Amino acid sequence: MKKVGLYFGTFNPIHIGHLVIANHMVEFSDLDEVWFVVTPQSPFKTKKTLLDNHHRYEMVYEATKEYPKLHPSKIEFDLPQPNYTVNTLVHLDEKYPSGYSFSLIMGEDNLKGLHKWKNYETILENYTIYVYPRISEGTLESQFMQHKSIHRVSAPIMEISSTFIRKEHKNGKNIKPMLPPEVWSYIDEMNFYR
């Protein structure tokens, strides 16, 4: 059974923080692979600053091609919008009925809002969640403190955000060190986030 951690995000753009966390999860937990699930639209985010799906997928592909345990996924591109994690998990279980076991990867900030997710109880009942530390506001619901389905992984705290990268690139700052070289080349060539 291959244990796959699903790392959901808009990856607009994918940056070194994403890679460090995903690589840490696959090297220092019992996960065999991490799939970067590129989400077309989050129910909690507006779409106005999102690059087209294929551009974000291409950047994830470029960023992960040197890492055999990290893979891009466009599984949500053909699912009804907006995407809900519980629906994607059910779809993946149907698409891969044997040989795969799926888990979620999320930051502690997302865990604090998990009780707002559609059918979050079903997710906790049927899937494992790997949580990496984040510096964030708010408190964790008591039901998530010692839950059997929630595993904390002491990954490095990465305080880099795609929002910051887009904003500062537009302001003419050098954001190149925060991106995998192939992703920087793609953004520069396509003149994105200007």
Side-chain angles (χ1 to χ4, degrees), residues 60-75:
V60 172
Y61 170 79
E62 289 294 330
T64 58
K65 66 183 180 187
E66 298 295 318
Y67 300 91
K69 297 177 188 174
L70 306 180
H71 304 282
S73 171
K74 49 183 166 186
I75 194 80

PDB file of all heavy atoms in Angstrom, residues 60-75:
ATOM      1  N   VAL A  60       4.187  23.822 -10.832  1.00  0.00           N
ATOM      2  CA  VAL A  60       4.354  22.722  -9.870  1.00  0.00           C
ATOM      3  C   VAL A  60       5.106  21.570 -10.531  1.00  0.00           C
ATOM      4  O   VAL A  60       6.008  20.974  -9.925  1.00  0.00           O
ATOM      5  CB  VAL A  60       2.984  22.257  -9.300  1.00  0.00           C
ATOM      6  CG1 VAL A  60       3.147  20.997  -8.452  1.00  0.00           C
ATOM      7  CG2 VAL A  60       2.337  23.360  -8.479  1.00  0.00           C
ATOM      8  N   TYR A  61       4.765  21.275 -11.781  1.00  0.00           N
ATOM      9  CA  TYR A  61       5.474  20.227 -12.524  1.00  0.00           C
ATOM     10  C   TYR A  61       6.974  20.548 -12.597  1.00  0.00           C
ATOM     11  O   TYR A  61       7.822  19.705 -12.314  1.00  0.00           O
ATOM     12  CB  TYR A  61       4.881  20.075 -13.933  1.00  0.00           C
ATOM     13  CG  TYR A  61       5.714  19.182 -14.811  1.00  0.00           C
ATOM     14  CD1 TYR A  61       5.638  17.793 -14.702  1.00  0.00           C
ATOM     15  CD2 TYR A  61       6.622  19.724 -15.719  1.00  0.00           C
ATOM     16  CE1 TYR A  61       6.440  16.970 -15.485  1.00  0.00           C
ATOM     17  CE2 TYR A  61       7.426  18.919 -16.501  1.00  0.00           C
ATOM     18  CZ  TYR A  61       7.328  17.538 -16.384  1.00  0.00           C
ATOM     19  OH  TYR A  61       8.134  16.732 -17.147  1.00  0.00           O
ATOM     20  N   GLU A  62       7.284  21.779 -12.975  1.00  0.00           N
ATOM     21  CA  GLU A  62       8.686  22.195 -13.104  1.00  0.00           C
ATOM     22  C   GLU A  62       9.408  22.110 -11.749  1.00  0.00           C
ATOM     23  O   GLU A  62      10.551  21.684 -11.671  1.00  0.00           O
ATOM     24  CB  GLU A  62       8.781  23.625 -13.652  1.00  0.00           C
ATOM     25  CG  GLU A  62       8.396  23.770 -15.110  1.00  0.00           C
ATOM     26  CD  GLU A  62       9.344  23.049 -16.058  1.00  0.00           C
ATOM     27  OE1 GLU A  62      10.542  22.927 -15.741  1.00  0.00           O
ATOM     28  OE2 GLU A  62       8.884  22.595 -17.120  1.00  0.00           O
ATOM     29  N   ALA A  63       8.721  22.515 -10.691  1.00  0.00           N
ATOM     30  CA  ALA A  63       9.332  22.544  -9.355  1.00  0.00           C
ATOM     31  C   ALA A  63       9.601  21.148  -8.801  1.00  0.00           C
ATOM     32  O   ALA A  63      10.529  20.968  -8.015  1.00  0.00           O
ATOM     33  CB  ALA A  63       8.430  23.314  -8.393  1.00  0.00           C
ATOM     34  N   THR A  64       8.804  20.158  -9.202  1.00  0.00           N
ATOM     35  CA  THR A  64       8.895  18.821  -8.589  1.00  0.00           C
ATOM     36  C   THR A  64       9.595  17.778  -9.457  1.00  0.00           C
ATOM     37  O   THR A  64       9.849  16.674  -8.985  1.00  0.00           O
ATOM     38  CB  THR A  64       7.490  18.290  -8.237  1.00  0.00           C
ATOM     39  OG1 THR A  64       6.681  18.254  -9.415  1.00  0.00           O
ATOM     40  CG2 THR A  64       6.828  19.153  -7.183  1.00  0.00           C
ATOM     41  N   LYS A  65       9.939  18.105 -10.691  1.00  0.00           N
ATOM     42  CA  LYS A  65      10.430  17.057 -11.600  1.00  0.00           C
ATOM     43  C   LYS A  65      11.755  16.440 -11.160  1.00  0.00           C
ATOM     44  O   LYS A  65      12.062  15.322 -11.549  1.00  0.00           O
ATOM     45  CB  LYS A  65      10.474  17.555 -13.045  1.00  0.00           C
ATOM     46  CG  LYS A  65      11.458  18.647 -13.343  1.00  0.00           C
ATOM     47  CD  LYS A  65      11.320  19.076 -14.805  1.00  0.00           C
ATOM     48  CE  LYS A  65      12.298  20.185 -15.115  1.00  0.00           C
ATOM     49  NZ  LYS A  65      12.079  20.715 -16.450  1.00  0.00           N
ATOM     50  N   GLU A  66      12.529  17.140 -10.328  1.00  0.00           N
ATOM     51  CA  GLU A  66      13.787  16.583  -9.831  1.00  0.00           C
ATOM     52  C   GLU A  66      13.602  15.782  -8.539  1.00  0.00           C
ATOM     53  O   GLU A  66      14.568  15.267  -7.978  1.00  0.00           O
ATOM     54  CB  GLU A  66      14.800  17.714  -9.575  1.00  0.00           C
ATOM     55  CG  GLU A  66      15.174  18.509 -10.813  1.00  0.00           C
ATOM     56  CD  GLU A  66      15.916  17.686 -11.855  1.00  0.00           C
ATOM     57  OE1 GLU A  66      16.800  16.891 -11.474  1.00  0.00           O
ATOM     58  OE2 GLU A  66      15.585  17.826 -13.054  1.00  0.00           O
ATOM     59  N   TYR A  67      12.373  15.704  -8.035  1.00  0.00           N
ATOM     60  CA  TYR A  67      12.090  15.026  -6.765  1.00  0.00           C
ATOM     61  C   TYR A  67      11.179  13.825  -7.029  1.00  0.00           C
ATOM     62  O   TYR A  67       9.971  13.985  -7.219  1.00  0.00           O
ATOM     63  CB  TYR A  67      11.406  15.985  -5.779  1.00  0.00           C
ATOM     64  CG  TYR A  67      12.245  17.197  -5.453  1.00  0.00           C
ATOM     65  CD1 TYR A  67      12.143  18.366  -6.200  1.00  0.00           C
ATOM     66  CD2 TYR A  67      13.143  17.173  -4.383  1.00  0.00           C
ATOM     67  CE1 TYR A  67      12.907  19.479  -5.909  1.00  0.00           C
ATOM     68  CE2 TYR A  67      13.914  18.284  -4.075  1.00  0.00           C
ATOM     69  CZ  TYR A  67      13.791  19.432  -4.836  1.00  0.00           C
ATOM     70  OH  TYR A  67      14.566  20.539  -4.550  1.00  0.00           O
ATOM     71  N   PRO A  68      11.722  12.601  -7.034  1.00  0.00           N
ATOM     72  CA  PRO A  68      10.923  11.428  -7.417  1.00  0.00           C
ATOM     73  C   PRO A  68       9.740  11.115  -6.491  1.00  0.00           C
ATOM     74  O   PRO A  68       8.811  10.442  -6.897  1.00  0.00           O
ATOM     75  CB  PRO A  68      11.934  10.272  -7.403  1.00  0.00           C
ATOM     76  CG  PRO A  68      13.203  10.801  -6.863  1.00  0.00           C
ATOM     77  CD  PRO A  68      13.129  12.284  -6.799  1.00  0.00           C
ATOM     78  N   LYS A  69       9.749  11.649  -5.270  1.00  0.00           N
ATOM     79  CA  LYS A  69       8.649  11.362  -4.341  1.00  0.00           C
ATOM     80  C   LYS A  69       7.594  12.474  -4.313  1.00  0.00           C
ATOM     81  O   LYS A  69       6.613  12.383  -3.594  1.00  0.00           O
ATOM     82  CB  LYS A  69       9.189  11.151  -2.920  1.00  0.00           C
ATOM     83  CG  LYS A  69      10.126   9.954  -2.797  1.00  0.00           C
ATOM     84  CD  LYS A  69      10.660   9.880  -1.374  1.00  0.00           C
ATOM     85  CE  LYS A  69      11.735   8.822  -1.241  1.00  0.00           C
ATOM     86  NZ  LYS A  69      12.354   8.855   0.111  1.00  0.00           N
ATOM     87  N   LEU A  70       7.814  13.541  -5.078  1.00  0.00           N
ATOM     88  CA  LEU A  70       6.873  14.674  -5.132  1.00  0.00           C
ATOM     89  C   LEU A  70       6.269  14.744  -6.532  1.00  0.00           C
ATOM     90  O   LEU A  70       6.989  14.663  -7.533  1.00  0.00           O
ATOM     91  CB  LEU A  70       7.588  15.985  -4.812  1.00  0.00           C
ATOM     92  CG  LEU A  70       8.392  16.058  -3.501  1.00  0.00           C
ATOM     93  CD1 LEU A  70       9.024  17.432  -3.342  1.00  0.00           C
ATOM     94  CD2 LEU A  70       7.524  15.706  -2.301  1.00  0.00           C
ATOM     95  N   HIS A  71       4.944  14.904  -6.593  1.00  0.00           N
ATOM     96  CA  HIS A  71       4.259  14.874  -7.891  1.00  0.00           C
ATOM     97  C   HIS A  71       3.187  15.959  -7.983  1.00  0.00           C
ATOM     98  O   HIS A  71       2.474  16.210  -7.009  1.00  0.00           O
ATOM     99  CB  HIS A  71       3.580  13.514  -8.103  1.00  0.00           C
ATOM    100  CG  HIS A  71       4.520  12.366  -7.994  1.00  0.00           C
ATOM    101  ND1 HIS A  71       5.379  12.007  -9.008  1.00  0.00           N
ATOM    102  CD2 HIS A  71       4.763  11.501  -6.972  1.00  0.00           C
ATOM    103  CE1 HIS A  71       6.104  10.975  -8.628  1.00  0.00           C
ATOM    104  NE2 HIS A  71       5.763  10.650  -7.396  1.00  0.00           N
ATOM    105  N   PRO A  72       3.032  16.563  -9.175  1.00  0.00           N
ATOM    106  CA  PRO A  72       1.914  17.489  -9.385  1.00  0.00           C
ATOM    107  C   PRO A  72       0.636  16.696  -9.646  1.00  0.00           C
ATOM    108  O   PRO A  72       0.693  15.587 -10.177  1.00  0.00           O
ATOM    109  CB  PRO A  72       2.341  18.266 -10.629  1.00  0.00           C
ATOM    110  CG  PRO A  72       3.190  17.305 -11.396  1.00  0.00           C
ATOM    111  CD  PRO A  72       3.869  16.428 -10.375  1.00  0.00           C
ATOM    112  N   SER A  73      -0.498  17.258  -9.262  1.00  0.00           N
ATOM    113  CA  SER A  73      -1.788  16.610  -9.549  1.00  0.00           C
ATOM    114  C   SER A  73      -2.799  17.656  -9.986  1.00  0.00           C
ATOM    115  O   SER A  73      -2.944  18.693  -9.344  1.00  0.00           O
ATOM    116  CB  SER A  73      -2.305  15.886  -8.305  1.00  0.00           C
ATOM    117  OG  SER A  73      -3.629  15.441  -8.522  1.00  0.00           O
ATOM    118  N   LYS A  74      -3.492  17.352 -11.093  1.00  0.00           N
ATOM    119  CA  LYS A  74      -4.573  18.238 -11.541  1.00  0.00           C
ATOM    120  C   LYS A  74      -5.919  17.539 -11.393  1.00  0.00           C
ATOM    121  O   LYS A  74      -6.856  17.802 -12.137  1.00  0.00           O
ATOM    122  CB  LYS A  74      -4.323  18.732 -12.961  1.00  0.00           C
ATOM    123  CG  LYS A  74      -3.975  17.689 -13.989  1.00  0.00           C
ATOM    124  CD  LYS A  74      -3.682  18.373 -15.325  1.00  0.00           C
ATOM    125  CE  LYS A  74      -3.016  17.433 -16.294  1.00  0.00           C
ATOM    126  NZ  LYS A  74      -2.600  18.112 -17.524  1.00  0.00           N
ATOM    127  N   ILE A  75      -6.007  16.652 -10.410  1.00  0.00           N
ATOM    128  CA  ILE A  75      -7.209  15.841 -10.189  1.00  0.00           C
ATOM    129  C   ILE A  75      -8.460  16.711 -10.010  1.00  0.00           C
ATOM    130  O   ILE A  75      -9.547  16.326 -10.418  1.00  0.00           O
ATOM    131  CB  ILE A  75      -7.007  14.890  -8.969  1.00  0.00           C
ATOM    132  CG1 ILE A  75      -8.077  13.817  -8.934  1.00  0.00           C
ATOM    133  CG2 ILE A  75      -6.954  15.641  -7.660  1.00  0.00           C
ATOM    134  CD1 ILE A  75      -7.847  12.673  -9.860  1.00  0.00           C
TER     135      ILE A  75
END
